[in-house]
Amino acid sequence: MKPSKSAETQTATLAEIARAAGVSAPTVSKVLNGRADVAAATRTRVEELLRTHGYRRRRAEASRSPLIDLVFHELESAWAMEVIRGVENVARDAGLSVVLSESAGRLTPGRTWADQVAARRPHGVVLVLSGLDESQRALLTSRSIPFVVMDPAGDPGPDVPSIGATNWQGGLAATRHLVDLGHTRIGAISGPGRMMCSRARVDGYRAALETAGLPADTSLVLTGDFHHDAGYRLGLELLRRADRPTAVFAGNDLQALGLYEAARELGLRVPEDLSVVGFDDLPVSRWVGPPLTTVRQPLTEMAEAAARLVLELGREREERAATRVELATRLVVRSSTAAPAAG
């Protein structure tokens, strides 16, 4: 991120933008404040000039609403509830409220969302498994609205603050646990290939097999979408094979629960006939039968860290180098894993 400009440069730049756009300074101010009473063509012209001039509103000028914006690419699982809880914890302590948005499965929110954020003027934005395109980043930056990406889907870039988890280490620990139990044919149901966390978990799985001297059979690695139905559907595909795996790393807890259902349908017992490891350690993983061995991803703590960071960025007078934080994962062994059956 570029360093803040002096007050004199800011004032001159704002005047230059108004002159270059052929509009008044109040019109530029309306665009900055997300007002609706500006023609679309004028708004586009002003936004482009704000971006090319690198304009950044001084934080002293940026009156803020008592809000944190929390943006999900999907908002439909217990996973999201853990994240909401973490952001709410920090917001409550700071006397703020949380605004929830969903980008309907897209990895970047729509343009309308960015305009709404500019109008709300929150203390900051936390994006979960999402990112911003260049124009959205420029829009938030010009309004001095800080943003942090939690568990970024792709590479957020060197200048974007982000909070993640040690996904590779988690995949390694999950698979190494199965190897140590004596399993040699281990399948995996990953999340979407476009998500960095999903790729890292599978890379950890492969690394555990390679260090154990076991072949990494690519036909045993299927790509899911982190939902229950994918675990069920792909679980059936893996378990109907004549040479089925004796253990599966399910990539996340929801897919592991779908795999449980597939195993029951085929008359296979967990863990007697099939060992299962998930990822996340959602509360439900302790309640299912048998309780699920999983990799604990500290979702609430990650969300708290993201919210604290975005508030810190909003309080600082000068820009600082982007922060990348990874919180540790931990294998939690329960009853869904055991040594493979003899023969």
Side-chain angles (χ1 to χ4, degrees):
M1 298 180 182
K2 296 179 181 178
S4 297
K5 298 180 180 182
S6 68
E8 291 77 11
T9 305
Q10 288 280 355
T11 303
T13 301
L14 186 58
E16 289 169 4
I17 290 167
R19 285 196 298 271
V23 298
S24 66
T27 298
V28 175
S29 181
K30 286 182 179 180
V31 173
L32 281 168
N33 291 320
R35 293 271 297 273
D37 53 340
V38 179
T42 300
R43 180 184 301 278
T44 300
R45 188 163 68 253
V46 171
E47 289 287 4
E48 179 60 29
L49 288 165
L50 288 169
R51 183 162 54 252
T52 56
H53 280 73
Y55 177 83
R56 186 188 302 272
R57 169 179 276 176
R58 289 176 298 181
R59 289 196 172 120
E61 295 175 337
S63 60
R64 293 179 175 139
S65 301
L67 304 170
I68 296 176
D69 263 71
L70 176 57
V71 186
F72 289 88
H73 85 296
E74 288 180 336
L75 185 57
E76 60 175 33
S77 74
W79 188 96
M81 293 305 299
E82 296 298 301
V83 175
I84 294 169
R85 181 176 294 112
V87 174
E88 282 276 9
N89 289 343
V90 174
R92 188 186 314 114
D93 290 345
L96 306 175
S97 300
V98 178
V99 176
L100 294 179
S101 303
E102 184 193 44
S103 55
R106 299 187 303 269
L107 295 186
T108 57
R111 172 63 201 222
T112 302
W113 167 84
D115 289 336
Q116 291 170 346
V117 171
R120 280 194 293 270
R121 303 189 305 279
H123 277 247
V125 178
V126 175
L127 299 115
V128 184
L129 281 174
S130 301
L132 298 173
D133 62 30
E134 185 178 345
S135 66
Q136 291 166 338
R137 287 172 57 181
L139 186 148
L140 295 186
T141 298
S142 67
R143 276 76 171 174
S144 290
I145 300 174
F147 55 90
V148 172
V149 179
M150 176 185 155
D151 212 3
D155 181 4
D159 58 345
V160 177
S162 62
I163 305 290
T166 53
N167 288 291
W168 183 90
Q169 185 64 40
L172 179 80
T175 311
R176 183 172 286 165
H177 170 64
L178 296 171
V179 170
D180 289 345
L181 288 171
H183 293 277
T184 57
R185 190 159 180 78
I186 303 169
I189 300 174
S190 78
R194 63 181 176 166
M195 290 188 179
M196 190 163 61
C197 62
S198 174
R199 297 195 302 270
R201 292 172 197 178
V202 173
D203 286 345
Y205 154 87
R206 292 194 182 101
L209 295 179
E210 290 169 4
T211 54
L214 296 174
D217 186 344
T218 57
S219 70
L220 292 182
V221 180
L222 303 182
T223 301
D225 59 10
F226 283 152
H227 291 100
H228 175 279
D229 289 349
Y232 169 72
R233 173 175 49 83
L234 298 175
L236 288 176
E237 184 177 334
L238 282 173
L239 300 179
R240 281 174 172 157
R241 295 174 56 134
D243 57 349
R244 69 171 179 83
T246 61
V248 176
F249 170 41
N252 78 333
D253 289 351
L254 294 180
Q255 290 185 153
L257 298 183
L259 181 60
Y260 269 35
E261 185 179 347
R264 283 195 298 270
E265 187 171 308
L266 297 176
L268 298 175
R269 299 164 301 165
V270 176
E272 292 85 354
D273 304 312
L274 176 72
S275 286
V276 178
V277 181
F279 199 111
D280 285 334
D281 195 25
L282 298 178
V284 69
S285 67
R286 301 190 295 272
W287 307 330
V288 295
L292 178 66
T293 294
T294 186
V295 176
R296 183 175 188 273
Q297 179 175 213
L299 292 170
T300 300
E301 293 91 332
M302 290 164 62
E304 289 173 343
R308 282 195 296 267
L309 178 57
V310 85
L311 293 182
E312 288 171 10
L313 293 172
R315 286 192 291 265
E316 292 178 359
R317 293 179 178 273
E318 299 295 331
E319 296 302 317
R320 66 176 180 179
T323 301
R324 168 66 180 171
V325 177
E326 285 195 344
L327 276 63
T329 53
R330 177 173 60 87
L331 180 69
V332 180
V333 179
R334 297 195 179 102
S335 306
S336 67
T337 50

mmCIF file of all heavy atoms in Angstrom, residues 71-90:
data_model
loop_
_atom_site.group_PDB
_atom_site.id
_atom_site.type_symbol
_atom_site.label_atom_id
_atom_site.label_comp_id
_atom_site.label_asym_id
_atom_site.label_seq_id
_atom_site.Cartn_x
_atom_site.Cartn_y
_atom_site.Cartn_z
ATOM 1 N N VAL A 71 -17.521 -10.152 5.282
ATOM 2 C CA VAL A 71 -17.954 -10.612 3.963
ATOM 3 C C VAL A 71 -17.575 -12.075 3.765
ATOM 4 O O VAL A 71 -16.405 -12.439 3.895
ATOM 5 C CB VAL A 71 -17.305 -9.769 2.844
ATOM 6 C CG1 VAL A 71 -17.865 -10.164 1.490
ATOM 7 C CG2 VAL A 71 -17.501 -8.295 3.100
ATOM 8 N N PHE A 72 -18.560 -12.910 3.464
ATOM 9 C CA PHE A 72 -18.341 -14.316 3.151
ATOM 10 C C PHE A 72 -18.597 -14.571 1.676
ATOM 11 O O PHE A 72 -19.454 -13.926 1.073
ATOM 12 C CB PHE A 72 -19.306 -15.210 3.942
ATOM 13 C CG PHE A 72 -19.033 -15.296 5.407
ATOM 14 C CD1 PHE A 72 -19.594 -14.377 6.284
ATOM 15 C CD2 PHE A 72 -18.229 -16.293 5.928
ATOM 16 C CE1 PHE A 72 -19.364 -14.454 7.645
ATOM 17 C CE2 PHE A 72 -17.985 -16.385 7.294
ATOM 18 C CZ PHE A 72 -18.554 -15.462 8.146
ATOM 19 N N HIS A 73 -17.874 -15.543 1.101
ATOM 20 C CA HIS A 73 -18.240 -15.934 -0.263
ATOM 21 C C HIS A 73 -19.462 -16.848 -0.228
ATOM 22 O O HIS A 73 -20.258 -16.880 -1.152
ATOM 23 C CB HIS A 73 -17.056 -16.607 -0.984
ATOM 24 C CG HIS A 73 -16.903 -18.063 -0.730
ATOM 25 N ND1 HIS A 73 -16.618 -18.565 0.506
ATOM 26 C CD2 HIS A 73 -16.990 -19.128 -1.571
ATOM 27 C CE1 HIS A 73 -16.541 -19.889 0.432
ATOM 28 N NE2 HIS A 73 -16.769 -20.249 -0.803
ATOM 29 N N GLU A 74 -19.643 -17.577 0.890
ATOM 30 C CA GLU A 74 -20.858 -18.363 1.128
ATOM 31 C C GLU A 74 -21.166 -18.299 2.616
ATOM 32 O O GLU A 74 -20.269 -18.358 3.446
ATOM 33 C CB GLU A 74 -20.671 -19.827 0.722
ATOM 34 C CG GLU A 74 -20.608 -20.064 -0.768
ATOM 35 C CD GLU A 74 -20.427 -21.537 -1.096
ATOM 36 O OE1 GLU A 74 -19.905 -22.293 -0.243
ATOM 37 O OE2 GLU A 74 -20.819 -21.926 -2.198
ATOM 38 N N LEU A 75 -22.425 -18.227 2.938
ATOM 39 C CA LEU A 75 -22.839 -18.074 4.332
ATOM 40 C C LEU A 75 -23.908 -19.118 4.626
ATOM 41 O O LEU A 75 -25.093 -18.838 4.631
ATOM 42 C CB LEU A 75 -23.385 -16.664 4.566
ATOM 43 C CG LEU A 75 -23.768 -16.263 5.988
ATOM 44 C CD1 LEU A 75 -22.606 -16.421 6.940
ATOM 45 C CD2 LEU A 75 -24.279 -14.826 6.006
ATOM 46 N N GLU A 76 -23.450 -20.375 4.859
ATOM 47 C CA GLU A 76 -24.452 -21.418 5.009
ATOM 48 C C GLU A 76 -24.002 -22.611 5.842
ATOM 49 O O GLU A 76 -24.562 -23.681 5.741
ATOM 50 C CB GLU A 76 -24.878 -21.936 3.629
ATOM 51 C CG GLU A 76 -23.749 -22.517 2.811
ATOM 52 C CD GLU A 76 -24.224 -23.120 1.498
ATOM 53 O OE1 GLU A 76 -25.195 -22.614 0.910
ATOM 54 O OE2 GLU A 76 -23.622 -24.101 1.086
ATOM 55 N N SER A 77 -23.021 -22.465 6.698
ATOM 56 C CA SER A 77 -22.575 -23.630 7.447
ATOM 57 C C SER A 77 -22.135 -23.258 8.850
ATOM 58 O O SER A 77 -21.988 -22.085 9.196
ATOM 59 C CB SER A 77 -21.412 -24.320 6.721
ATOM 60 O OG SER A 77 -20.227 -23.564 6.868
ATOM 61 N N ALA A 78 -21.925 -24.312 9.672
ATOM 62 C CA ALA A 78 -21.428 -24.107 11.028
ATOM 63 C C ALA A 78 -20.050 -23.451 11.010
ATOM 64 O O ALA A 78 -19.667 -22.770 11.960
ATOM 65 C CB ALA A 78 -21.367 -25.450 11.755
ATOM 66 N N TRP A 79 -19.304 -23.655 9.940
ATOM 67 C CA TRP A 79 -17.985 -23.024 9.778
ATOM 68 C C TRP A 79 -18.131 -21.507 9.862
ATOM 69 O O TRP A 79 -17.382 -20.828 10.567
ATOM 70 C CB TRP A 79 -17.416 -23.448 8.428
ATOM 71 C CG TRP A 79 -16.004 -23.077 8.148
ATOM 72 C CD1 TRP A 79 -14.901 -23.859 8.332
ATOM 73 C CD2 TRP A 79 -15.521 -21.846 7.595
ATOM 74 N NE1 TRP A 79 -13.766 -23.191 7.940
ATOM 75 C CE2 TRP A 79 -14.116 -21.956 7.482
ATOM 76 C CE3 TRP A 79 -16.128 -20.667 7.187
ATOM 77 C CZ2 TRP A 79 -13.329 -20.935 6.983
ATOM 78 C CZ3 TRP A 79 -15.339 -19.639 6.698
ATOM 79 C CH2 TRP A 79 -13.954 -19.777 6.594
ATOM 80 N N ALA A 80 -19.122 -20.975 9.152
ATOM 81 C CA ALA A 80 -19.331 -19.524 9.149
ATOM 82 C C ALA A 80 -19.713 -19.021 10.536
ATOM 83 O O ALA A 80 -19.317 -17.917 10.939
ATOM 84 C CB ALA A 80 -20.410 -19.152 8.134
ATOM 85 N N MET A 81 -20.467 -19.814 11.301
ATOM 86 C CA MET A 81 -20.878 -19.381 12.630
ATOM 87 C C MET A 81 -19.676 -19.189 13.550
ATOM 88 O O MET A 81 -19.654 -18.266 14.374
ATOM 89 C CB MET A 81 -21.845 -20.405 13.241
ATOM 90 C CG MET A 81 -23.182 -20.479 12.531
ATOM 91 S SD MET A 81 -24.013 -18.865 12.421
ATOM 92 C CE MET A 81 -24.194 -18.481 14.163
ATOM 93 N N GLU A 82 -18.653 -20.042 13.417
ATOM 94 C CA GLU A 82 -17.455 -19.886 14.235
ATOM 95 C C GLU A 82 -16.743 -18.573 13.913
ATOM 96 O O GLU A 82 -16.216 -17.892 14.790
ATOM 97 C CB GLU A 82 -16.513 -21.070 14.009
ATOM 98 C CG GLU A 82 -17.075 -22.412 14.449
ATOM 99 C CD GLU A 82 -17.356 -22.455 15.930
ATOM 100 O OE1 GLU A 82 -16.415 -22.256 16.727
ATOM 101 O OE2 GLU A 82 -18.535 -22.673 16.302
ATOM 102 N N VAL A 83 -16.719 -18.220 12.624
ATOM 103 C CA VAL A 83 -16.075 -16.976 12.196
ATOM 104 C C VAL A 83 -16.866 -15.763 12.701
ATOM 105 O O VAL A 83 -16.297 -14.800 13.223
ATOM 106 C CB VAL A 83 -15.939 -16.944 10.657
ATOM 107 C CG1 VAL A 83 -15.381 -15.594 10.200
ATOM 108 C CG2 VAL A 83 -15.048 -18.082 10.180
ATOM 109 N N ILE A 84 -18.181 -15.822 12.550
ATOM 110 C CA ILE A 84 -19.024 -14.715 13.021
ATOM 111 C C ILE A 84 -18.820 -14.503 14.514
ATOM 112 O O ILE A 84 -18.701 -13.364 14.991
ATOM 113 C CB ILE A 84 -20.510 -14.995 12.706
ATOM 114 C CG1 ILE A 84 -20.737 -14.993 11.186
ATOM 115 C CG2 ILE A 84 -21.411 -13.968 13.382
ATOM 116 C CD1 ILE A 84 -22.104 -15.507 10.779
ATOM 117 N N ARG A 85 -18.747 -15.601 15.263
ATOM 118 C CA ARG A 85 -18.565 -15.494 16.707
ATOM 119 C C ARG A 85 -17.265 -14.747 17.035
ATOM 120 O O ARG A 85 -17.240 -13.889 17.924
ATOM 121 C CB ARG A 85 -18.550 -16.888 17.332
ATOM 122 C CG ARG A 85 -18.380 -16.870 18.852
ATOM 123 C CD ARG A 85 -18.468 -18.265 19.448
ATOM 124 N NE ARG A 85 -19.807 -18.819 19.288
ATOM 125 C CZ ARG A 85 -20.109 -19.844 18.499
ATOM 126 N NH1 ARG A 85 -19.169 -20.437 17.789
ATOM 127 N NH2 ARG A 85 -21.342 -20.275 18.406
ATOM 128 N N GLY A 86 -16.186 -15.066 16.316
ATOM 129 C CA GLY A 86 -14.908 -14.417 16.580
ATOM 130 C C GLY A 86 -14.937 -12.928 16.297
ATOM 131 O O GLY A 86 -14.447 -12.116 17.103
ATOM 132 N N VAL A 87 -15.512 -12.530 15.160
ATOM 133 C CA VAL A 87 -15.579 -11.107 14.822
ATOM 134 C C VAL A 87 -16.505 -10.377 15.801
ATOM 135 O O VAL A 87 -16.216 -9.253 16.239
ATOM 136 C CB VAL A 87 -16.048 -10.913 13.362
ATOM 137 C CG1 VAL A 87 -16.256 -9.435 13.044
ATOM 138 C CG2 VAL A 87 -15.029 -11.519 12.399
ATOM 139 N N GLU A 88 -17.611 -11.013 16.165
ATOM 140 C CA GLU A 88 -18.538 -10.412 17.130
ATOM 141 C C GLU A 88 -17.857 -10.180 18.479
ATOM 142 O O GLU A 88 -18.098 -9.163 19.138
ATOM 143 C CB GLU A 88 -19.757 -11.317 17.318
ATOM 144 C CG GLU A 88 -20.778 -11.234 16.200
ATOM 145 C CD GLU A 88 -21.733 -10.063 16.386
ATOM 146 O OE1 GLU A 88 -21.493 -9.232 17.278
ATOM 147 O OE2 GLU A 88 -22.711 -9.985 15.625
ATOM 148 N N ASN A 89 -17.010 -11.107 18.910
ATOM 149 C CA ASN A 89 -16.319 -10.955 20.192
ATOM 150 C C ASN A 89 -15.511 -9.661 20.225
ATOM 151 O O ASN A 89 -15.549 -8.906 21.201
ATOM 152 C CB ASN A 89 -15.389 -12.143 20.443
ATOM 153 C CG ASN A 89 -16.132 -13.428 20.740
ATOM 154 O OD1 ASN A 89 -17.325 -13.411 21.068
ATOM 155 N ND2 ASN A 89 -15.440 -14.552 20.624
ATOM 156 N N VAL A 90 -14.758 -9.419 19.143
ATOM 157 C CA VAL A 90 -13.920 -8.226 19.083
ATOM 158 C C VAL A 90 -14.776 -6.975 18.902
ATOM 159 O O VAL A 90 -14.540 -5.945 19.548
ATOM 160 C CB VAL A 90 -12.893 -8.352 17.939
ATOM 161 C CG1 VAL A 90 -12.108 -7.057 17.751
ATOM 162 C CG2 VAL A 90 -11.938 -9.514 18.216
#
